[in-house]
Amino acid sequence: METRYVTDEKGERVGVILDVEEYERLMEAVEELHDILRYDEAREKIARGEADFVPWEKVKDRIGSEYEG
C-alpha cells in the first residue's frame, strides 16, 4: 500500500488518500471488528445472566415467514 498524504499550506499532514479497494478493505475490517465486539458483549451479558432472549416465534412474526425452517 502506498501512503499518500494531503498537506496544508504549512506542509502539515491533514489527510490521507487511499485507493478505493484499500478503503473498502479497511471498512470491512472495521465492520468485522465491530461485530466481534458486539458478540463479546453479548456473551458477557449471557454469562452475567443479563441477556434478554426473544423466542423464535416472536422473531418469526416480526420478520415474516421467509425464514421458517
Side-chain angles (χ1 to χ4, degrees), residues 15-27:
V16 178
I17 298 173
L18 298 172
D19 293 328
V20 171
E21 294 85 13
E22 184 66 13
Y23 171 78
E24 289 173 350
R25 187 187 69 74
L26 290 171
M27 292 308 297

Side-chain angles (χ1 to χ4, degrees), residues 4-69:
R4 293 173 285 169
Y5 298 98
V6 177
T7 57
D8 63 11
E9 57 278 347
K10 296 178 186 177
E12 300 288 326
R13 295 178 181 172
V14 295
V16 178
I17 298 173
L18 298 172
D19 293 328
V20 171
E21 294 85 13
E22 184 66 13
Y23 171 78
E24 289 173 350
R25 187 187 69 74
L26 290 171
M27 292 308 297
E28 287 177 12
V30 167
E31 290 173 12
E32 185 171 337
L33 288 172
H34 179 73
D35 291 345
I36 291 168
L37 178 62
R38 296 288 307 260
Y39 173 82
D40 289 344
E41 290 171 351
R43 296 285 300 178
E44 289 174 10
K45 277 183 107 173
I46 291 169
R48 292 191 307 263
E50 299 172 357
D52 294 325
F53 294 101
V54 178
W56 172 243
E57 292 303 318
K58 276 191 172 187
V59 172
K60 196 168 54 170
D61 290 343
R62 288 183 187 172
I63 64 174
S65 61
E66 67 184 271
Y67 294 100
E68 284 188 45

